[in-house]
mmCIF file of all heavy atoms in Angstrom:
data_model
loop_
_atom_site.group_PDB
_atom_site.id
_atom_site.type_symbol
_atom_site.label_atom_id
_atom_site.label_comp_id
_atom_site.label_asym_id
_atom_site.label_seq_id
_atom_site.Cartn_x
_atom_site.Cartn_y
_atom_site.Cartn_z
ATOM 1 N N TYR A 1826 -48.831 10.117 5.144
ATOM 2 C CA TYR A 1826 -49.516 9.711 6.369
ATOM 3 C C TYR A 1826 -50.787 10.373 6.654
ATOM 4 O O TYR A 1826 -51.879 9.825 6.849
ATOM 5 C CB TYR A 1826 -48.554 9.844 7.527
ATOM 6 C CG TYR A 1826 -48.925 9.032 8.802
ATOM 7 C CD1 TYR A 1826 -48.609 7.677 8.819
ATOM 8 C CD2 TYR A 1826 -49.433 9.659 9.887
ATOM 9 C CE1 TYR A 1826 -48.882 6.865 9.907
ATOM 10 C CE2 TYR A 1826 -49.753 8.895 11.028
ATOM 11 C CZ TYR A 1826 -49.443 7.521 11.016
ATOM 12 O OH TYR A 1826 -49.712 6.785 12.080
ATOM 13 N N ASN A 1827 -50.723 11.729 6.472
ATOM 14 C CA ASN A 1827 -51.895 12.576 6.744
ATOM 15 C C ASN A 1827 -52.948 12.366 5.596
ATOM 16 O O ASN A 1827 -54.118 12.274 5.896
ATOM 17 C CB ASN A 1827 -51.501 13.991 6.842
ATOM 18 C CG ASN A 1827 -52.633 14.931 7.196
ATOM 19 O OD1 ASN A 1827 -53.480 15.212 6.376
ATOM 20 N ND2 ASN A 1827 -52.723 15.399 8.432
ATOM 21 N N GLY A 1828 -52.455 12.329 4.327
ATOM 22 C CA GLY A 1828 -53.440 12.311 3.243
ATOM 23 C C GLY A 1828 -54.112 10.930 3.208
ATOM 24 O O GLY A 1828 -55.394 10.886 2.932
ATOM 25 N N MET A 1829 -53.396 9.908 3.471
ATOM 26 C CA MET A 1829 -54.100 8.562 3.502
ATOM 27 C C MET A 1829 -55.056 8.464 4.658
ATOM 28 O O MET A 1829 -56.089 7.733 4.538
ATOM 29 C CB MET A 1829 -53.006 7.450 3.563
ATOM 30 C CG MET A 1829 -52.108 7.348 2.307
ATOM 31 S SD MET A 1829 -52.945 7.104 0.876
ATOM 32 C CE MET A 1829 -53.757 5.568 1.094
ATOM 33 N N ALA A 1830 -54.742 9.051 5.836
ATOM 34 C CA ALA A 1830 -55.647 9.035 6.923
ATOM 35 C C ALA A 1830 -56.929 9.755 6.627
ATOM 36 O O ALA A 1830 -58.054 9.258 6.998
ATOM 37 C CB ALA A 1830 -54.972 9.677 8.128
ATOM 38 N N ASN A 1831 -56.905 10.816 5.849
ATOM 39 C CA ASN A 1831 -58.067 11.523 5.430
ATOM 40 C C ASN A 1831 -58.761 10.764 4.311
ATOM 41 O O ASN A 1831 -60.107 10.803 4.299
ATOM 42 C CB ASN A 1831 -57.743 12.956 4.991
ATOM 43 C CG ASN A 1831 -57.320 13.862 6.135
ATOM 44 O OD1 ASN A 1831 -57.727 13.628 7.201
ATOM 45 N ND2 ASN A 1831 -56.450 14.784 5.822
ATOM 46 N N LEU A 1832 -58.072 10.142 3.432
ATOM 47 C CA LEU A 1832 -58.696 9.576 2.220
ATOM 48 C C LEU A 1832 -59.241 8.225 2.529
ATOM 49 O O LEU A 1832 -60.301 7.818 2.054
ATOM 50 C CB LEU A 1832 -57.656 9.554 1.081
ATOM 51 C CG LEU A 1832 -58.119 9.051 -0.269
ATOM 52 C CD1 LEU A 1832 -59.228 10.011 -0.802
ATOM 53 C CD2 LEU A 1832 -56.977 9.048 -1.293
ATOM 54 N N VAL A 1833 -58.482 7.383 3.238
ATOM 55 C CA VAL A 1833 -58.891 5.962 3.463
ATOM 56 C C VAL A 1833 -59.133 5.731 4.964
ATOM 57 O O VAL A 1833 -58.197 5.846 5.792
ATOM 58 C CB VAL A 1833 -57.723 5.061 2.985
ATOM 59 C CG1 VAL A 1833 -58.210 3.529 3.224
ATOM 60 C CG2 VAL A 1833 -57.369 5.313 1.507
ATOM 61 N N GLN A 1834 -60.349 5.536 5.260
ATOM 62 C CA GLN A 1834 -60.697 5.335 6.696
ATOM 63 C C GLN A 1834 -61.346 4.017 6.853
ATOM 64 O O GLN A 1834 -61.631 3.313 5.915
ATOM 65 C CB GLN A 1834 -61.722 6.512 7.111
ATOM 66 C CG GLN A 1834 -61.061 7.866 7.032
ATOM 67 C CD GLN A 1834 -61.995 8.988 7.497
ATOM 68 O OE1 GLN A 1834 -63.118 8.710 7.833
ATOM 69 N NE2 GLN A 1834 -61.530 10.197 7.462
ATOM 70 N N GLY A 1835 -61.559 3.576 8.123
ATOM 71 C CA GLY A 1835 -62.149 2.349 8.338
ATOM 72 C C GLY A 1835 -61.095 1.375 8.805
ATOM 73 O O GLY A 1835 -60.004 1.665 9.095
ATOM 74 N N ASN A 1836 -61.406 0.056 8.740
ATOM 75 C CA ASN A 1836 -60.508 -1.004 9.240
ATOM 76 C C ASN A 1836 -59.171 -1.128 8.538
ATOM 77 O O ASN A 1836 -58.223 -1.587 9.003
ATOM 78 C CB ASN A 1836 -61.257 -2.357 9.288
ATOM 79 C CG ASN A 1836 -62.486 -2.336 10.277
ATOM 80 O OD1 ASN A 1836 -62.443 -1.641 11.265
ATOM 81 N ND2 ASN A 1836 -63.433 -3.199 9.983
ATOM 82 N N ASN A 1837 -59.242 -0.795 7.196
ATOM 83 C CA ASN A 1837 -58.133 -1.031 6.358
ATOM 84 C C ASN A 1837 -57.262 0.224 6.159
ATOM 85 O O ASN A 1837 -56.258 0.312 5.448
ATOM 86 C CB ASN A 1837 -58.520 -1.508 4.926
ATOM 87 C CG ASN A 1837 -59.113 -2.905 5.092
ATOM 88 O OD1 ASN A 1837 -58.621 -3.751 5.830
ATOM 89 N ND2 ASN A 1837 -60.114 -3.135 4.238
ATOM 90 N N GLY A 1838 -57.677 1.320 6.839
ATOM 91 C CA GLY A 1838 -56.994 2.547 6.719
ATOM 92 C C GLY A 1838 -55.527 2.501 7.053
ATOM 93 O O GLY A 1838 -54.596 2.900 6.241
ATOM 94 N N SER A 1839 -55.169 1.980 8.227
ATOM 95 C CA SER A 1839 -53.736 1.898 8.657
ATOM 96 C C SER A 1839 -52.939 0.911 7.677
ATOM 97 O O SER A 1839 -51.792 1.291 7.411
ATOM 98 C CB SER A 1839 -53.654 1.414 10.064
ATOM 99 O OG SER A 1839 -54.311 2.353 10.991
ATOM 100 N N ALA A 1840 -53.592 -0.113 7.281
ATOM 101 C CA ALA A 1840 -52.865 -1.035 6.365
ATOM 102 C C ALA A 1840 -52.472 -0.460 5.123
ATOM 103 O O ALA A 1840 -51.292 -0.534 4.683
ATOM 104 C CB ALA A 1840 -53.736 -2.199 6.094
ATOM 105 N N ILE A 1841 -53.351 0.387 4.542
ATOM 106 C CA ILE A 1841 -53.009 1.083 3.240
ATOM 107 C C ILE A 1841 -51.945 2.194 3.514
ATOM 108 O O ILE A 1841 -51.077 2.398 2.685
ATOM 109 C CB ILE A 1841 -54.271 1.679 2.690
ATOM 110 C CG1 ILE A 1841 -55.226 0.542 2.278
ATOM 111 C CG2 ILE A 1841 -53.965 2.522 1.458
ATOM 112 C CD1 ILE A 1841 -56.580 0.972 1.770
ATOM 113 N N GLN A 1842 -52.068 2.880 4.649
ATOM 114 C CA GLN A 1842 -50.981 3.853 5.023
ATOM 115 C C GLN A 1842 -49.606 3.206 4.988
ATOM 116 O O GLN A 1842 -48.683 3.822 4.426
ATOM 117 C CB GLN A 1842 -51.286 4.493 6.316
ATOM 118 C CG GLN A 1842 -52.477 5.482 6.388
ATOM 119 C CD GLN A 1842 -52.664 5.996 7.763
ATOM 120 O OE1 GLN A 1842 -51.711 5.982 8.616
ATOM 121 N NE2 GLN A 1842 -53.846 6.513 8.100
ATOM 122 N N TYR A 1843 -49.517 2.158 5.689
ATOM 123 C CA TYR A 1843 -48.227 1.417 5.743
ATOM 124 C C TYR A 1843 -47.716 0.964 4.414
ATOM 125 O O TYR A 1843 -46.461 1.149 4.093
ATOM 126 C CB TYR A 1843 -48.285 0.263 6.689
ATOM 127 C CG TYR A 1843 -48.466 0.631 8.133
ATOM 128 C CD1 TYR A 1843 -49.281 -0.111 8.935
ATOM 129 C CD2 TYR A 1843 -47.842 1.754 8.720
ATOM 130 C CE1 TYR A 1843 -49.567 0.245 10.288
ATOM 131 C CE2 TYR A 1843 -48.037 2.055 10.108
ATOM 132 C CZ TYR A 1843 -48.860 1.311 10.833
ATOM 133 O OH TYR A 1843 -49.070 1.680 12.145
ATOM 134 N N MET A 1844 -48.653 0.448 3.632
ATOM 135 C CA MET A 1844 -48.174 -0.011 2.264
ATOM 136 C C MET A 1844 -47.732 1.078 1.371
ATOM 137 O O MET A 1844 -46.720 0.945 0.635
ATOM 138 C CB MET A 1844 -49.379 -0.777 1.583
ATOM 139 C CG MET A 1844 -49.671 -2.146 2.280
ATOM 140 S SD MET A 1844 -50.930 -3.098 1.381
ATOM 141 C CE MET A 1844 -52.442 -2.292 1.814
ATOM 142 N N VAL A 1845 -48.451 2.180 1.401
ATOM 143 C CA VAL A 1845 -48.087 3.377 0.566
ATOM 144 C C VAL A 1845 -46.734 3.949 1.047
ATOM 145 O O VAL A 1845 -45.889 4.300 0.210
ATOM 146 C CB VAL A 1845 -49.169 4.410 0.507
ATOM 147 C CG1 VAL A 1845 -48.709 5.696 -0.182
ATOM 148 C CG2 VAL A 1845 -50.440 3.840 -0.133
ATOM 149 N N THR A 1846 -46.554 4.114 2.308
ATOM 150 C CA THR A 1846 -45.316 4.597 2.845
ATOM 151 C C THR A 1846 -44.113 3.732 2.522
ATOM 152 O O THR A 1846 -43.080 4.132 2.114
ATOM 153 C CB THR A 1846 -45.422 4.859 4.365
ATOM 154 O OG1 THR A 1846 -46.563 5.663 4.723
ATOM 155 C CG2 THR A 1846 -44.130 5.561 4.872
ATOM 156 N N GLY A 1847 -44.394 2.445 2.659
ATOM 157 C CA GLY A 1847 -43.340 1.415 2.315
ATOM 158 C C GLY A 1847 -42.971 1.478 0.828
ATOM 159 O O GLY A 1847 -41.846 1.321 0.438
ATOM 160 N N LEU A 1848 -43.932 1.657 0.058
ATOM 161 C CA LEU A 1848 -43.675 1.731 -1.429
ATOM 162 C C LEU A 1848 -42.931 2.971 -1.766
ATOM 163 O O LEU A 1848 -41.937 2.875 -2.520
ATOM 164 C CB LEU A 1848 -45.047 1.760 -2.185
ATOM 165 C CG LEU A 1848 -44.947 1.880 -3.724
ATOM 166 C CD1 LEU A 1848 -44.164 0.694 -4.269
ATOM 167 C CD2 LEU A 1848 -46.395 1.981 -4.319
ATOM 168 N N ALA A 1849 -43.224 4.104 -1.101
ATOM 169 C CA ALA A 1849 -42.448 5.328 -1.296
ATOM 170 C C ALA A 1849 -41.011 5.106 -0.872
ATOM 171 O O ALA A 1849 -40.034 5.560 -1.584
ATOM 172 C CB ALA A 1849 -43.049 6.456 -0.524
ATOM 173 N N LEU A 1850 -40.733 4.442 0.230
ATOM 174 C CA LEU A 1850 -39.387 4.148 0.681
ATOM 175 C C LEU A 1850 -38.702 3.253 -0.335
ATOM 176 O O LEU A 1850 -37.532 3.426 -0.597
ATOM 177 C CB LEU A 1850 -39.377 3.518 2.093
ATOM 178 C CG LEU A 1850 -38.052 3.150 2.670
ATOM 179 C CD1 LEU A 1850 -37.105 4.322 2.691
ATOM 180 C CD2 LEU A 1850 -38.211 2.516 4.031
ATOM 181 N N LEU A 1851 -39.380 2.232 -0.794
ATOM 182 C CA LEU A 1851 -38.757 1.322 -1.759
ATOM 183 C C LEU A 1851 -38.352 2.059 -3.048
ATOM 184 O O LEU A 1851 -37.239 1.787 -3.569
ATOM 185 C CB LEU A 1851 -39.674 0.176 -2.082
ATOM 186 C CG LEU A 1851 -39.223 -0.897 -3.084
ATOM 187 C CD1 LEU A 1851 -38.001 -1.643 -2.470
ATOM 188 C CD2 LEU A 1851 -40.298 -1.847 -3.364
ATOM 189 N N ILE A 1852 -39.242 2.962 -3.471
ATOM 190 C CA ILE A 1852 -38.939 3.738 -4.756
ATOM 191 C C ILE A 1852 -37.628 4.611 -4.431
ATOM 192 O O ILE A 1852 -36.756 4.736 -5.343
ATOM 193 C CB ILE A 1852 -40.158 4.538 -5.145
ATOM 194 C CG1 ILE A 1852 -41.293 3.611 -5.626
ATOM 195 C CG2 ILE A 1852 -39.731 5.524 -6.222
ATOM 196 C CD1 ILE A 1852 -42.494 4.320 -5.873
ATOM 197 N N ALA A 1853 -37.663 5.280 -3.202
ATOM 198 C CA ALA A 1853 -36.502 6.148 -2.957
ATOM 199 C C ALA A 1853 -35.253 5.336 -2.887
ATOM 200 O O ALA A 1853 -34.175 5.776 -3.380
ATOM 201 C CB ALA A 1853 -36.786 6.850 -1.610
ATOM 202 N N ALA A 1854 -35.225 4.141 -2.276
ATOM 203 C CA ALA A 1854 -34.073 3.300 -2.248
ATOM 204 C C ALA A 1854 -33.635 2.895 -3.641
ATOM 205 O O ALA A 1854 -32.410 2.882 -3.942
ATOM 206 C CB ALA A 1854 -34.251 2.096 -1.385
ATOM 207 N N ALA A 1855 -34.536 2.529 -4.540
ATOM 208 C CA ALA A 1855 -34.211 2.210 -5.837
ATOM 209 C C ALA A 1855 -33.649 3.279 -6.649
ATOM 210 O O ALA A 1855 -32.685 3.124 -7.347
ATOM 211 C CB ALA A 1855 -35.499 1.686 -6.584
ATOM 212 N N VAL A 1856 -34.223 4.537 -6.427
ATOM 213 C CA VAL A 1856 -33.652 5.740 -7.096
ATOM 214 C C VAL A 1856 -32.233 5.993 -6.624
ATOM 215 O O VAL A 1856 -31.304 6.295 -7.409
ATOM 216 C CB VAL A 1856 -34.570 6.965 -6.824
ATOM 217 C CG1 VAL A 1856 -33.819 8.201 -7.226
ATOM 218 C CG2 VAL A 1856 -35.878 6.877 -7.513
#
Side-chain angles (χ1 to χ4, degrees):
Y1826 199 76
N1827 186 284
M1829 294 304 298
N1831 290 329
L1832 185 61
V1833 182
Q1834 299 180 359
N1836 295 332
N1837 294 323
S1839 296
I1841 296 177
Q1842 286 179 24
Y1843 292 140
M1844 287 188 286
V1845 173
T1846 306
L1848 179 61
L1850 176 58
L1851 182 62
I1852 293 173
V1856 169

